[in-house]
């Protein structure tokens, strides 16, 4: 046991030495992270759903615990993030992103087994991964942004130690740390499960190439035996997550929120298949804001490399080909599992695959000029991705400011009704109002106004409450009555668009 602990201590020292040796790469990671996400630190705003955490903190934590996100709740309590503070959350998110950029960089560098780990190519993976537009929707949800970024750190730890354990199974500390990190990460955000799958497949591929290059000598049949080790420990970790989840739900109750995302059996199978194929098309050809045309180039390169390897004398080439095939398909596994095209905030391993393959592309070339050209191209890709993310966050910031302005105007109109500073009557918002922002870029939720969700007064009223306007939210019956009473009213911003009727304050948008 002492030797296991000593080995763990040496791993920590190696990570610190790696960080010290790659200061230039870390500076590059910090620059790209701040450039991409700095707007969230230097401008105050909150995102949709955050109003619930601000107004009903304990209710939101209980809700997360009820649908399998006990890890998220634990992280919030561990770091003492109560009450919610937008600045602290965004600041910690950026710090956590820098850290997971470094940890994933170390994991990938380690399993390349290169003697000289001091190289600018250690920045290739993190700057592509961190700046990916698909992260924008996830990290715009600032109520959980730090916790999810922290879970990605946990995922890198789980992948690192389980991959080391497959090489040296005598060290049970590696297995324990990996399983704890898995359960905690899976219990923070379920999409981490699929990032973990891509991570271990990536390490398997790296170890194979490193062995092929002569960087490491492995035991006979390692690549076959390690497949069962990876599968067995993943099952163990996932079962551990399910068990903890059931225990937690027994205290907090069970919600069908996550289960409701699974479309198999709830709609015709042909519709699910069409949705999956549509998502695969988006991913392959880089359609839309969030997907990259680089993806297809990357997977074609890795596929050709794996097929070419079949014509060599290397051992275990069928296993390598299979690993590459599953790795390439891994961004689509979650879509297949739920029977639906994915929403952007759930897609962690799409950008992981791109960043990982670009690292391999630089790594396997020996010619320094070729490496330099590829690195320049990668920097351009990261810059382009960063610009897309900043455009989205700028739209979100302007939307927030526009919503604050509208909330102030609505409050002034309600105050003019003479019902007091804090009216004792429910406020019903009828219809929807879209923010008018020049050059607005809209994602799934980014750029969408709180007042845009027609028929849902609760979201907008919750937002207004975060600004200090303590209005009463209507129930479903009051909302329906408000819609009936609003039929003869004019639409906003007419003076007749805000009225007090039958004990209800009605604001009609359209």
């Amino acid at each position: 046991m002492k030797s296991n602990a000593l080995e763990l201590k040496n791993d920590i020292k190696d990570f610190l030495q790696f960080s010290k040796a790659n200061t230039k790469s870390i500076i590059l990671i910090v620059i790209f992270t701040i450039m991409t996400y700095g707007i969230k630190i230097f401008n105050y705003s909150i995102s949709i759903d955050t109003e619930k955490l601000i107004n009903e903190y304990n209710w939101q934590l209980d809700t997360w615990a009820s649908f399998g996100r006990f890890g998220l709740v634990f992280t919030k309590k561990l770091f003492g993030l109560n009450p919610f503070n937008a600045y602290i959350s965004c600041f910690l998110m950026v710090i956590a992103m820098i850290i997971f950029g470094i940890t994933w960089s170390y994991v990938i560098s380690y399993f390349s087994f290169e003697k000289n780990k001091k190289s600018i190519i250690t920045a290739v993976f993190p700057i592509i991964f961190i700046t990916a537009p698909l992260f924008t929707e996830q990290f715009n949800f600032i109520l959980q942004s730090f916790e999810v970024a922290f879970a990605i750190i946990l995922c890198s730890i789980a992948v690192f130690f389980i991959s080391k354990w497959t090489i040296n199974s005598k060290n049970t500390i590696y297995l324990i740390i990996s399983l704890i990190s898995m359960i905690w990460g899976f219990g923070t955000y379920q999409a981490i499960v699929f990032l973990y799958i891509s991570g271990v497949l990536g390490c398997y591929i790296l170890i194979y190439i490193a062995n092929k290059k002569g960087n490491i000598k492995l035991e006979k049949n390692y690549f076959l035996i390690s497949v069962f080790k990876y599968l067995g420990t993943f099952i163990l970790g996932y079962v551990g997550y399910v068990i903890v989840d059931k225990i937690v739900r027994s205290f907090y109750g069970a919600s069908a929120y996550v289960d409701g995302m699974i479309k198999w059996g709830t709609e015709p199978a042909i519709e699910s298949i069409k949705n999956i194929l549509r998502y695969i098309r988006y991913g392959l050809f880089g359609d839309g804001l969030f997907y990259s045309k680089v993806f297809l180039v990357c997977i074609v390169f890795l596929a050709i490399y794996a097929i070419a390897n079949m014509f060599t004398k290397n051992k275990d080439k069928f296993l390598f080909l299979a690993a590459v095939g599953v790795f390439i398909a891994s961004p689509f596994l979650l879509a297949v599992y739920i029977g639906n095209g994915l929403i952007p905030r759930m897609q962690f391993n799409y950008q992981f695959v791109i960043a990982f393959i670009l690292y391999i592309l630089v790594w396997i070339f020996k010619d320094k000029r070729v490496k330099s050209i590829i690195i320049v191209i990668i920097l351009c890709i990261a810059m382009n991705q960063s610009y897309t993310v900043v455009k989205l966050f700028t739209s979100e910031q302007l939307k927030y400011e526009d919503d604050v302005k509208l909330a102030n105007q609505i409050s002034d109109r309600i105050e003019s009704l003479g019902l007091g500073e804090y009216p004792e009557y429910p406020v019903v918002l009828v219809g929807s109002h879209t923010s008018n922002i020049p050059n607005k870029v809209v994602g799934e939720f980014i750029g969408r106004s709180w007042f845009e969700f027609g028929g849902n007064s609760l979201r907008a009223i919750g937002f207004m409450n975060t600004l200090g306007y303590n209005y009463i939210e209507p129930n479903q019956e009051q909302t329906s009555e408000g819609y009936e009473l609003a039929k003869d009213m004019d639409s906003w911003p007419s003076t007749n668009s805000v009225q007090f009727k039958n004990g209800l304050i009605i604001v009609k948008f359209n």
Side-chain angles (χ1 to χ4, degrees):
M1 198 68 180
K2 286 184 179 180
S3 61
N4 290 350
L6 181 62
E7 195 172 359
L8 177 61
K9 186 178 179 181
N10 290 334
D11 287 327
I12 295 170
K13 284 183 179 179
D14 188 62
F15 172 72
L16 294 175
Q17 288 170 358
F18 169 85
S19 301
K20 186 177 179 180
N22 288 279
T23 307
K24 290 179 181 178
S25 291
I26 291 174
I27 290 171
L28 203 57
I29 293 168
V30 172
I31 288 171
F32 271 96
T33 307
I34 297 296
M35 179 173 64
T36 308
Y37 294 93
I39 188 173
K40 303 300 287 184
I41 299 176
F42 303 121
N43 293 275
Y44 178 86
S45 67
I46 62 170
S47 55
I48 283 173
D49 283 354
T50 309
E51 75 279 359
K52 277 294 182 185
L53 186 63
I54 294 173
N55 297 325
E56 301 177 77
Y57 189 90
N58 290 326
W59 175 88
Q60 183 62 64
L61 262 61
D62 291 349
T63 301
W64 277 327
S66 72
F67 57 76
R69 295 186 186 168
F70 55 84
L72 196 161
V73 175
F74 179 70
T75 303
K76 275 205 179 290
K77 292 188 175 182
L78 179 67
F79 285 88
L81 302 178
N82 182 13
F84 175 80
N85 184 288
Y87 172 76
I88 290 296
S89 179
C90 291
F91 178 78
L92 290 177
M93 173 195 79
V94 169
I95 296 299
M97 294 184 79
I98 291 169
I99 293 172
F100 79 57
I102 297 169
T103 56
W104 276 112
S105 175
Y106 173 72
V107 171
I108 289 170
S109 175
Y110 183 92
F111 290 106
S112 303
F113 293 106
E114 294 288 350
K115 291 181 180 179
N116 180 19
K117 294 181 180 180
K118 183 180 180 180
S119 172
I120 196 66
I121 73 166
T122 58
V124 168
F125 176 88
I127 65 172
I128 294 295
F129 189 51
I130 287 170
T131 60
L134 272 171
F135 269 145
T136 316
E137 288 281 3
Q138 178 57 242
F139 291 121
N140 186 53
F141 281 87
I142 62 172
L143 73 165
Q144 62 182 38
S145 57
F146 161 64
E147 292 76 17
V148 171
F150 183 77
I152 296 175
I153 296 173
L154 291 173
C155 187
S156 68
I157 292 171
V159 168
F160 175 76
F161 283 110
I162 208 65
S163 296
K164 285 210 73 173
W165 182 79
T166 63
I167 297 171
N168 177 18
S169 300
K170 294 178 181 178
N171 196 330
T172 53
I173 292 178
Y174 289 163
L175 179 60
I176 293 167
I177 293 174
S178 182
L179 290 173
I180 291 172
S181 300
M182 264 192 261
I183 293 168
W184 191 351
F186 297 170
T188 299
Y189 199 70
Q190 287 87 344
I192 295 290
V193 172
F194 295 88
L195 177 61
Y196 174 83
I197 292 171
S198 294
V200 294
L201 284 166
C203 286
Y204 185 91
I205 290 167
L206 284 172
I207 294 168
Y208 181 91
I209 297 173
N211 182 64
K212 177 182 173 182
K213 292 177 71 172
N215 293 357
I216 184 176
K217 291 183 179 181
L218 299 163
E219 293 181 2
K220 187 179 180 182
N221 297 324
Y222 164 81
F223 291 103
L224 177 61
I225 294 169
S226 64
V227 170
F228 295 102
K229 288 181 177 180
Y230 276 126
L231 281 173
T233 51
F234 170 70
I235 292 169
L236 195 61
Y238 190 79
V239 169
Y241 157 71
V242 171
I243 291 171
V244 175
D245 179 37
K246 287 187 180 296
I247 293 170
V248 172
R249 289 195 194 203
S250 68
F251 291 99
Y252 290 92
S255 168
Y257 172 73
V258 173
D259 295 336
M261 293 181 179
I262 300 174
K263 301 302 180 183
W264 296 112
T266 63
E267 61 181 39
I270 189 66
E271 289 302 317
S272 292
I273 293 169
K274 285 180 180 178
N275 287 334
I276 294 167
L277 292 176
R278 189 181 300 115
Y279 165 57
I280 292 173
R281 190 192 74 216
Y282 288 162
L284 285 176
F285 299 106
D287 292 344
L289 277 172
F290 297 108
Y291 302 98
S292 174
K293 290 179 170 46
V294 177
F295 179 80
L296 184 59
V297 176
C298 287
I299 64 171
V300 167
F301 160 74
L302 189 59
I304 290 172
Y305 181 86
I307 293 168
N309 184 66
M310 294 295 293
F311 297 96
T312 66
K313 295 180 179 180
N314 295 310
K315 296 180 179 180
D316 303 305
K317 45 196 176 183
F318 286 101
L319 287 171
F320 179 68
L321 182 66
V324 167
V326 180
F327 181 72
I328 288 171
S330 63
F332 309 110
L333 294 179
L334 182 54
V336 173
Y337 173 72
I338 67 174
N340 196 13
L342 296 183
I343 52 179
R345 66 180 183 272
M346 297 167 64
Q347 299 167 47
F348 292 171
N349 46 352
Y350 180 86
Q351 57 262 37
F352 183 93
V353 168
I354 294 173
F356 177 84
I357 297 176
L358 287 175
Y359 170 83
I360 288 184
L361 187 61
V362 179
W363 178 41
I364 63 172
F365 280 103
K366 296 180 180 178
D367 190 289
K368 290 185 178 179
R369 286 176 297 181
V370 174
K371 283 180 182 286
S372 298
I373 292 169
I374 296 172
I375 288 173
V376 170
I377 293 171
I378 286 168
L379 286 169
C380 291
I381 293 169
M383 282 291 296
N384 181 264
Q385 290 188 158
S386 178
Y387 181 65
T388 300
V389 173
V390 172
K391 279 198 303 181
L392 284 160
F393 280 144
T394 301
S395 280
E396 175 68 11
Q397 181 65 33
L398 293 174
K399 179 270 298 184
Y400 173 79
E401 293 170 3
D402 191 64
D403 278 356
V404 170
K405 178 183 175 182
L406 178 59
N408 292 335
Q409 291 172 340
I410 292 171
S411 176
D412 289 342
R413 297 285 285 278
I414 291 176
E415 190 174 346
S416 69
L417 296 175
L419 300 173
E421 186 177 2
Y422 302 113
E424 297 179 355
Y425 306 96
V427 177
V428 180
L429 303 180
V430 176
S432 62
H433 182 277
T434 304
S435 54
N436 185 21
I437 300 168
N439 303 316
K440 181 170 70 172
V441 184
V442 180
E444 182 196 0
F445 284 103
I446 282 180
R448 294 189 64 186
S449 167
W450 267 276
F451 301 94
E452 195 173 330
F453 297 86
N456 186 357
S457 296
L458 305 186
R459 194 183 287 275
I461 297 300
F463 165 67
M464 294 182 73
N465 286 344
T466 68
L467 301 174
Y469 302 122
N470 297 316
Y471 296 133
I472 298 172
E473 297 177 349
N475 57 35
Q476 187 58 52
E477 184 180 343
Q478 290 166 335
T479 300
S480 300
E481 183 182 0
Y483 267 76
E484 285 297 318
L485 294 171
K487 286 182 177 179
D488 61 350
M489 292 170 57
D490 296 330
S491 297
W492 181 269
S494 168
T495 54
N496 189 38
S497 61
V498 181
Q499 295 185 29
F500 178 62
K501 291 185 173 185
N502 289 12
L504 298 175
I505 300 169
I506 303 170
V507 181
K508 183 179 180 180
F509 291 124
N510 56 47

